[in-house]
Amino acid sequence: MNNDTFEFLLWEFSKIWELQVMHVALLLILYLMTVTWNVLIISAVVCDHHLHTPMYFFLMNLAMQDIGSVSVIIPKTLFNFLTNIRSISHSGCIAQVMFLLFFLSCDTSLLTVMAYDRYIAICNPLHYEMIINRKACTKIIAGVWTASLLNASLHTVFTFMTPFCSNSINQFFCEIPYLLKIACSDLYVSETRYQIFIAMLSTGCFVFVIVTYMHVFSAVLRIPSVLGRKKAFSTCLPHLFVFFIFFFTSCLAYLKPTADSESHANFIITIMYSIIPSMLNPLIYSMRNKDIKVALSRVFGKKILFF
């Protein structure tokens, strides 16, 4: 096939129109919820000067990346449904793969960085402002973006270097494991290399976060004040919970064997790792964080629903 001209055909939710509507309605609801709640987090951090701290700066960036990751997938899916088409252009597929990998890599890196931020704040508080200052935060975010862009670019180039023997993708968006499934080269070698890299990267981040929080919780338990321990846990537990949701759902999606045909079970798994973590992040942080609730009340002048 000529990779420069042909289009990919994406998975059709169902032949039954009512089931198609149900799938698309679910995606639309999840998308609107994700964007709305993350925009609220961004608004709270930007508008309230009390939240102009490194922790909330990282949280704002996480919210921006969560909006980006779902916006890469869902709008195209909704457009295809409304126009009654299944296709995506070759260049569009490349862009979707690259931007999705970029945002997912940013999420992984940023969640790992946020664990380090909590470690310095709790285990080395006297040097926190010297280590995690505005200049350092800017460099960290720039490093996260640069490394994520490089990672996404390399994987995208590697994936699309190989010609494809089919143009039918058993997924409702362009995703590397399903693209490798229709590649003309040795599938086993390609998938194995990709899965090994993802496993090594994920394991490295996972081990770093676990070791970091072992030190953090050890330091928290030595705090004599009950109020101090409670405040420390309230800033650490939401981040740890968000990290585990993102980590395990991503591993479930990317390390499982690629199905020969898409199913509704695989659709649910895809939703779990690509959309649900981005939707839950602002909820988890806001439910355990009084500062964000107060900031939202100041910005909007009243209590926000669900917060």
Side-chain angles (χ1 to χ4, degrees):
M1 287 186 176
N2 186 345
N3 282 357
D4 296 326
T5 59
F6 84 100
E7 295 182 332
F8 291 101
L9 292 179
L10 300 174
W11 177 61
E12 189 176 19
F13 294 119
S14 174
K15 297 293 184 181
I16 304 173
W17 188 81
E18 289 78 4
L19 289 178
Q20 291 185 35
V21 172
M22 184 183 71
H23 282 90
V24 171
L26 174 62
L27 289 177
L28 178 59
I29 292 171
L30 292 176
Y31 180 68
L32 293 177
M33 292 169 64
T34 300
V35 171
T36 300
W37 291 341
N38 279 288
V39 166
L40 288 175
I41 293 294
I42 295 171
S43 301
V45 175
V46 170
C47 298
D48 194 322
H49 69 277
H50 295 94
L51 301 185
H52 292 178
T53 63
M55 182 179 75
Y56 292 110
F57 175 71
F58 293 140
L59 179 58
M60 180 185 69
N61 276 271
L62 182 65
M64 293 167 60
Q65 290 158 15
D66 285 339
I67 292 174
S69 63
V70 295
S71 297
V72 169
I73 300 172
I74 300 181
K76 173 59 178 174
T77 303
L78 297 178
F79 175 80
N80 280 9
F81 174 76
L82 293 174
T83 55
N84 196 29
I85 61 175
R86 291 175 52 198
S87 62
I88 181 171
S89 66
H90 182 261
S91 58
C93 191
I94 292 176
Q96 197 171 62
V97 167
M98 183 166 178
F99 282 111
L100 181 60
L101 279 176
F102 170 72
F103 287 120
L104 292 180
S105 298
C106 280
D107 271 4
T108 304
S109 302
L110 193 52
L111 287 170
T112 306
V113 166
M114 291 172 74
Y116 177 72
D117 171 72
R118 291 300 84 204
Y119 167 76
I120 299 298
I122 294 174
C123 298
N124 198 4
L126 297 179
H127 296 88
Y128 179 76
E129 292 186 0
M130 182 178 66
I131 299 173
I132 310 293
N133 50 44
R134 179 173 296 183
K135 185 177 181 180
C137 290
T138 303
K139 289 182 178 180
I140 289 172
I141 292 300
V144 166
W145 289 348
T146 303
S148 299
L149 182 60
L150 179 61
N151 174 56
S153 300
L154 289 175
H155 278 295
T156 303
V157 170
F158 169 76
T159 301
F160 287 92
M161 279 177 59
T162 306
F164 298 99
C165 294
S166 171
N167 70 335
S168 182
I169 303 175
N170 292 319
Q171 181 62 285
F172 66 94
F173 62 95
C174 288
E175 190 177 24
I176 285 183
Y178 291 90
L179 286 167
L180 293 178
K181 196 75 178 176
I182 60 174
C184 295
S185 62
D186 190 340
L187 170 66
Y188 176 78
V189 174
S190 300
E191 277 198 302
T192 301
R193 288 175 179 174
Y194 179 72
Q195 289 179 336
I196 287 175
F197 179 84
I198 292 295
M200 291 175 60
L201 181 64
S202 302
T203 301
C205 293
F206 179 79
V207 170
F208 179 85
V209 171
I210 292 300
V211 172
T212 298
Y213 271 106
M214 286 174 62
H215 290 286
V216 168
F217 289 141
S218 177
V220 169
L221 294 175
R222 293 197 299 267
I223 298 176
S225 168
V226 175
L227 183 60
R229 289 197 300 269
K230 184 178 179 180
K231 184 176 181 180
F233 278 124
S234 69
T235 60
C236 294
L237 291 179
H239 169 259
L240 194 58
F241 189 52
V242 165
F243 177 80
F244 277 119
I245 290 177
F246 180 79
F247 178 82
F248 285 115
T249 54
S250 297
C251 287
L252 180 65
Y254 277 86
L255 300 182
K256 69 179 179 64
T258 306
D260 291 325
S261 60
E262 187 56 63
S263 66
H264 296 286
N266 285 329
F267 173 77
I268 297 300
I269 292 175
T270 302
I271 293 296
M272 285 177 60
Y273 95 88
S274 63
I275 300 175
I276 296 300
S278 299
M279 184 187 71
L280 290 181
N281 287 353
L283 283 180
I284 293 170
Y285 276 105
S286 62
M287 284 189 296
R288 299 282 300 180
N289 196 306
K290 291 182 180 179
D291 292 338
I292 290 182
K293 293 180 180 179
V294 172
L296 287 172
S297 298
R298 287 174 183 158
V299 173
F300 295 97
K302 58 183 179 178
K303 186 176 181 180
I304 302 298
L305 188 63
F306 301 121
F307 286 88

